[in-house]
């Protein structure tokens, strides 16, 4: 249980979403964001700034699609945050990453504040076995049969995929561990935090598990909503709003029901960076200790073994 926080505006808790942009088009998430807008929920919608030339890891629109870019800019004008989900839908070398970051700034007026790695992109920062250390890295590699050992190299100087200096200079918050806990602060009460052993990331943050519609709804059901409210906590949901939230030309009815219920509560509904800025100002620039890191790594590894995601 976290210490009770006095949220801005005397709100009882905080809630937001970081939406990974995989599979996203205006057609399959436009109505979802219209609902969030109508309910007063301000969240973070990530983008791929440039269109890739290689085989995509998954489909989805990029900011080189003019209609999609206009729509994303419209969201930004309404108070939604635009986040970063790597340069494009496949692995990118340093030159493409730098071009994507510059293109992001051209489109939105500044570099991205918050980002999340796109699973499979080999320029991800401290990803795969680099996410964890010590005995937990050994266990992770053994359990994954070494498939991800040294695979992700965005943080490796002199590698063609290296962009760690750009990440540190241009991006404030990077997502790492994801947990089943609806109150993300229960899982990581000191976020955002800096990890000196991972020097190229300024600040890390955690999220709550909900990558597609069913897991999202399970994490944010009535019981968990009430618990989040009672604990005065904060939830940063990790999800892909293109994955089942809108189908057959209608919004998932259970999603609509739960979002309407949540919006009627006295919550602070702000984008990811706004929430993390508040926590950073409250907690100071927290530097994670060895014991804190070990606890996060252990709990995340156990969670990943259970759900196979995050």
């Amino acid at each position: 249980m976290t210490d009770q926080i006095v949220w801005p505006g005397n709100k009882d808790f905080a809630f937001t979403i970081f939406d990974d942009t995989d599979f996203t088009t205006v057609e399959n998430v436009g109505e979802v964001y219209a609902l969030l807008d109508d309910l007063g929920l301000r969240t973070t919608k990530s983008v791929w700034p440039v269109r890739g030339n290689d085989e995509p890891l998954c489909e989805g629109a990029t900011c080189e699609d003019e209609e999609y870019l206009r729509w994303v800019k419209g969201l930004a004008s309404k108070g939604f945050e635009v986040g970063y989900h790597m340069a494009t839908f496949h692995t990118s070398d340093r030159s493409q990453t730098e071009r994507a970051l510059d293109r992001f700034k051209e489109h939105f007026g500044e570099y991205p504040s918050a980002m999340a790695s796109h699973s499979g992109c080999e320029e991800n920062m401290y990803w795969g076995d680099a996410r964890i250390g010590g005995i937990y890295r050994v266990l992770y590699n053994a359990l994954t049969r070494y498939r991800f050992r040294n695979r992700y190299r965005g943080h490796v100087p002199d590698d063609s995929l290296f962009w760690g200096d750009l990440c540190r200079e241009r991006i404030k918050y990077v997502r790492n561990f994801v947990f089943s806990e609806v109150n993300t602060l229960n899982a990581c009460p000191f976020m955002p935090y800096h990890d000196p052993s991972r020097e190229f990331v300024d600040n890390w943050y955690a999220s709550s598990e909900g990558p597609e519609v069913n897991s999202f709804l399970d994490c944010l059901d009535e019981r968990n909503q009430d618990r989040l409210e009672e604990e005065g906590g904060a939830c940063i949901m990790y999800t892909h709003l293109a994955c089942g939230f809108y189908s057959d030309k209608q919004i998932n009815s259970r999603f609509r029901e739960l979002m309407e219920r949540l919006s009627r509560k006295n919550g602070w509904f702000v984008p990811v960076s706004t929430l993390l800025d508040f926590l950073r100002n409250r907690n100071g620039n927290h530097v994670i200790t060895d014991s804190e890191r070990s606890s996060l790594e252990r709990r995340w590894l156990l969670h990943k073994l259970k759900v196979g995601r995050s």
Side-chain angles (χ1 to χ4, degrees):
M1 183 77 82
T2 58
D3 294 334
Q4 194 69 28
I5 296 175
V6 179
W7 295 106
N10 292 316
K11 300 298 184 180
D12 295 328
F13 64 96
F15 173 84
T16 192
I17 297 169
F18 192 102
D19 172 27
D20 290 9
T21 197
D22 310 30
F23 306 106
T24 293
T25 64
V26 177
E27 291 74 21
N28 65 20
V29 300
E31 291 300 317
V32 177
Y33 275 95
L35 173 65
L36 296 176
D37 182 25
D38 289 345
L39 296 177
L41 305 181
R42 292 297 179 266
T43 61
T44 299
K45 189 261 178 287
S46 67
V47 297
W48 292 317
V50 299
R51 182 182 297 114
N53 297 318
D54 298 332
E55 186 71 21
L57 295 165
C58 66
E59 299 292 341
T62 74
C63 290
E64 292 192 27
D65 179 318
E66 293 185 4
E67 178 190 3
Y68 175 76
L69 179 60
R70 283 195 299 271
W71 173 72
V72 173
K73 287 183 173 181
L75 290 179
S77 72
K78 295 177 180 179
F80 289 87
E81 178 182 20
V82 183
Y84 185 70
H85 198 48
M86 312 309 288
T88 191
F89 42 58
H90 58 62
T91 296
S92 299
D93 64 16
R94 179 185 175 88
S95 62
Q96 187 172 40
T97 295
E98 187 166 20
R99 182 168 69 88
L101 289 169
D102 289 341
R103 189 65 58 83
F104 187 103
K105 186 177 181 181
E106 290 174 12
H107 291 321
F108 305 110
E110 57 187 2
Y111 291 118
S113 176
M115 67 156 279
S117 293
H118 178 41
S119 183
C121 285
E122 294 181 6
E123 81 277 18
N124 286 345
M125 297 296 299
Y126 303 103
W127 203 248
D129 70 332
R131 293 176 82 170
I132 51 182
I135 186 60
Y136 301 117
R137 180 177 293 186
V138 173
L139 289 171
Y140 175 87
N141 279 324
L143 291 166
T144 58
R145 300 182 180 182
Y146 296 88
R147 292 195 310 275
F148 308 112
R149 185 181 185 185
N150 300 325
R151 178 175 175 180
Y152 300 97
R153 308 186 305 281
H155 58 282
V156 180
D158 299 324
D159 193 281
S160 63
L161 302 183
F162 174 71
W163 66 288
D165 55 334
L166 301 176
C167 181
R168 182 174 56 198
E169 293 165 4
R170 301 184 182 186
I171 297 176
K172 190 186 297 185
Y173 302 116
V174 179
R175 188 178 70 208
N176 190 0
F177 299 120
V178 179
F179 300 97
S180 58
E181 170 67 59
V182 67
N183 184 354
T184 316
L185 284 178
N186 275 348
C188 188
F190 41 80
M191 74 174 185
Y193 64 88
H194 179 69
D195 183 348
S197 68
R198 291 160 175 81
E199 61 176 314
F200 295 117
V201 168
D202 192 10
N203 293 278
W204 295 100
Y205 69 97
S207 287
S208 298
E209 183 83 57
E212 42 71 39
V213 66
N214 292 323
S215 56
F216 183 102
L217 299 178
D218 287 344
C219 188
L220 213 63
D221 65 12
E222 290 87 352
R223 178 178 59 86
N224 283 336
Q225 285 188 19
D226 293 345
R227 192 167 133 248
L228 178 66
E229 179 182 34
E230 290 163 5
E231 293 176 356
C235 176
I236 301 177
M237 285 297 301
Y238 146 60
T239 198
H240 303 82
L241 289 178
C243 292
F245 293 81
Y246 180 83
S247 60
D248 298 325
K249 298 185 178 180
Q250 60 183 358
I251 293 175
N252 180 282
S253 60
R254 177 66 171 156
F255 174 71
R256 181 188 293 276
E257 177 186 12
L258 287 176
M259 291 299 96
E260 289 176 346
R261 182 181 191 272
L262 182 69
S263 72
R264 291 193 292 269
K265 291 181 177 291
N266 186 37
W268 193 40
F269 304 118
V270 293
V272 170
S273 289
T274 304
L275 172 55
L276 292 175
D277 284 345
F278 170 80
L279 291 172
R280 189 181 187 189
N281 290 334
R282 178 182 184 271
N283 300 335
N285 299 323
H286 184 80
V287 177
I288 197 170
T289 66
D290 290 343
S291 61
E292 288 170 340
R293 185 192 306 109
S294 180
S295 176
L296 284 178
E297 291 175 346
R298 180 180 66 254
R299 288 182 287 118
W300 172 78
L301 187 56
L302 289 171
H303 173 68
K304 189 168 180 64
L305 286 173
K306 180 180 178 181
V307 304
R309 296 188 288 260
S310 69

